[in-house]
Amino acid sequence: MAAFNTLVDVDRLWQDIMALADITEPGKPYTRRSFTPRFLAGRAYLIEQFKAAGLEVRIDTAGNLIGRRTGAKPHAKTIMMGSHSDTVPSGGRFDGIAGVVAALEVARALRDAGIELQHNLEVVDFLAEEPSEYGLSCVGSRGMSGQLTNAMLDFTGPQDERLGDALIRVGGNPVKLPEAIRKDDIAAYLELHIEQGPVLEQSKTDLGLVTGIVGITRLEIAFQGAADHAGTTPMHMRRDALYAAAQAVTAIREQAEALASEPDGYFVATVGILTLEPGGANVVPEQAKVIVDIRTGKREKTLRFLESIDAATQDAAEKARVERSSFKTLSDTMPMDCDLGLLDDLAKSADALGHSHLQLASGAGHDAAFIGQLAPAAMVFVPCLGGRSHTPEEWAEKHDIAAGAAAMFAAVRRFDERTPVTNQTHNSI
Ligand SMILES: [Zn+2]
């Protein structure tokens, strides 16, 4: 199995990453925002490379760029690999891009070695994984999993352009969106991504095998008190909204630490927004609002957290003699568990290649969270410098990315060999 390692061409993979890095807004590296001409230039480069790799290229109606290689068995399902080529403003060269290029390199390595798979193979550049100017992230993977709604297509961006119209500009077709939905023709989905966190680097581990992708819940809590004079209102008569909010923030932190210390699974909660009204040095705060970002792989933990914070914030309001004017969920996505069989394929592949690995949960969202609802899915993380991402300083070593690609290459072969080819009933293509 060690010979697999040599089939992934480190320099070819690196050359693609650097070529895409050059396709950036000048003076604002590294920026290739979805739906922009720069994004389309990046895609033109990818299309050229997909074709050179012998892949059949198309753009589905949800705007995903797909390169396909037909398998040996007719009616076989498809092994899909991918990620995204769009960036955040002034982002990095590796977030998403490493995954698209690694997937492409796996396809090239298979072709170079003359290896025919039973299954079809697809390399996908998902449209707009990063939050777009249209107020939506994961546009393409939502579309492929049937979760891009008409209401979302009406979201507007620059010059009041509808997302649905922007989709046409990148080769999609909002009217025929259901054609992009893949019901049951995906056998497996694999995605390589930089970790965007410090665990692999600090533990000096080559690869992270992702056990699941967190569900993300955003909660709004608001308190309504009274704006009174800071000099003349006695302490026992105040209705200070911030006093309640401060207790809420403390309760959120303490409850999150308690849940995080439980052995089974990841839990984090963050108060990243606190707003105060009217905001005067000599005025008792009348209104305070906090937005809480809650992430965990275990839905049950989110529900316990919400219950506990509900009780704590009611107590806080009572103690501060204010009203709890809002306690509502702003958005809510479900966690996704990675497939144990695919994780085993990746672990055995990494072992055979001599790459160390550990299991970890993904605290960030990825296209795999959507595609994992259609098919068994798994992700492999590679270390990144200082755990930093979404910044021009984002960096991953070429041999680390190649190690991840090699593990994915071997895992694709293991999966293909161990999985009997069954006839698919529908194929949306
Ligand atoms: Zn990404």
Side-chain angles (χ1 to χ4, degrees):
M1 298 293 283
F4 283 160
N5 197 18
T6 58
L7 298 176
V8 164
D9 187 328
V10 182
D11 294 324
R12 185 165 59 179
L13 189 154
W14 189 252
Q15 191 187 315
D16 283 337
I17 293 173
M18 291 302 122
L20 283 161
D22 282 344
I23 306 171
T24 171
E25 265 182 42
K28 204 180 172 190
Y30 297 92
T31 305
R32 196 169 49 253
R33 298 288 289 153
S34 52
F35 302 103
T36 63
R38 208 69 65 178
F39 172 73
L40 290 171
R43 278 226 161 151
Y45 175 84
L46 283 173
I47 288 170
E48 215 176 285
Q49 304 311 315
F50 279 21
K51 285 184 176 164
L55 300 171
E56 199 180 302
V57 179
R58 70 186 178 99
I59 291 174
D60 73 7
T61 56
N64 298 306
L65 171 65
I66 301 175
R68 181 176 172 95
R69 178 181 196 258
T70 306
K73 295 271 172 72
H75 315 300
K77 292 187 183 187
T78 297
I79 300 170
M80 185 179 278
M81 299 173 293
S83 199
H84 60 96
S85 71
D86 65 318
T87 71
V88 298
S90 301
R93 288 165 280 187
F94 304 92
D95 172 2
I97 294 116
V100 175
V101 171
L104 166 65
E105 182 54 31
V106 170
R108 286 192 293 226
L110 286 167
R111 182 206 52 185
D112 291 354
I115 297 165
E116 196 173 31
L117 301 175
Q118 303 185 71
H119 293 84
N120 303 308
L121 187 80
E122 287 187 11
V123 177
V124 183
D125 171 28
F126 290 100
L127 178 66
E129 191 272 348
E130 303 290 359
S132 65
E133 321 296 356
Y134 303 82
L136 192 69
S137 63
C138 295
V139 174
S141 48
R142 280 178 206 270
M144 194 180 276
S145 59
Q147 296 178 71
L148 185 57
T149 63
N150 285 330
M152 290 171 181
L153 291 175
D154 282 335
F155 289 1
T156 53
Q159 281 93 48
D160 275 339
E161 185 188 35
R162 286 176 62 250
L163 175 60
D165 294 328
L167 195 51
I168 297 170
R169 286 194 292 105
V170 298
N173 186 341
V175 178
K176 293 186 173 172
L177 208 48
E179 289 179 16
I181 302 172
R182 306 291 284 268
K183 284 206 176 66
D184 59 359
D185 78 312
I186 304 174
Y189 176 72
L190 290 171
E191 179 169 351
L192 177 146
H193 206 282
I194 58 165
E195 182 197 347
Q196 302 179 288
V199 175
L200 294 174
E201 185 184 61
Q202 285 187 8
S203 62
K204 296 191 167 46
T205 307
D206 298 330
L207 300 173
L209 306 185
V210 179
T211 53
I213 300 174
V214 294
I216 306 174
T217 304
R218 297 245 163 79
L219 175 69
E220 176 192 279
I221 308 168
F223 298 97
Q224 174 74 39
D228 287 314
H229 195 292
T232 60
T233 313
M235 296 310 288
H236 72 278
M237 292 176 72
R238 291 175 182 222
R239 299 180 56 223
D240 183 339
L242 177 58
Y243 182 43
Q247 292 172 65
V249 172
T250 303
I252 287 160
R253 171 76 188 211
E254 287 171 356
Q255 182 62 16
E257 283 184 1
L259 287 166
S261 69
E262 291 177 5
D264 60 330
Y266 185 82
F267 189 94
V268 289
T270 308
V271 176
I273 297 178
L274 165 64
T275 53
L276 279 185
E277 297 289 338
N282 59 352
V283 188
V284 175
E286 182 182 22
Q287 291 170 6
K289 184 166 81 178
V290 299
I291 306 291
V292 196
D293 176 294
I294 304 152
R295 299 180 185 223
T296 175
K298 294 266 191 296
R299 183 67 180 167
E300 164 275 326
K301 289 196 177 210
T302 303
L303 300 177
R304 268 199 288 149
F305 181 79
L306 291 174
E307 206 177 297
S308 147
I309 298 306
D310 185 12
T313 52
Q314 287 188 52
D315 289 349
E318 204 178 310
K319 193 172 163 196
R321 290 185 301 276
V322 300
E323 183 200 345
R324 192 186 69 177
S325 50
S326 175
F327 186 86
K328 68 176 178 197
T329 300
L330 301 175
S331 65
D332 202 16
T333 62
M334 295 297 129
M336 193 280 283
D337 288 330
C338 287
D339 182 69
L340 295 176
L342 288 172
L343 286 174
D344 189 53
D345 290 332
L346 284 166
K348 284 180 175 145
S349 301
D351 287 340
L353 293 160
H355 299 311
S356 58
H357 54 90
L358 56 76
Q359 293 202 332
L360 76 181
S362 171
H366 294 290
D367 292 306
F370 288 93
I371 306 308
Q373 295 171 31
L374 300 174
M379 290 189 76
V380 52
F381 278 174
V382 297
C384 57
L385 187 66
R388 300 188 67 201
S389 183
H390 290 185
T391 161
E393 278 89 55
E394 179 183 280
W395 183 258
E397 293 297 336
K398 69 174 170 178
H399 287 284
D400 288 337
I401 301 171
M408 208 158 65
F409 172 88
V412 163
R413 292 199 63 195
R414 279 178 191 275
F415 176 84
D416 187 63
E417 278 164 22
R418 75 171 166 86
T419 309
V421 171
T422 50
N423 278 6
Q424 47 179 308
T425 45
H426 305 288
N427 187 339
S428 59
I429 297 167

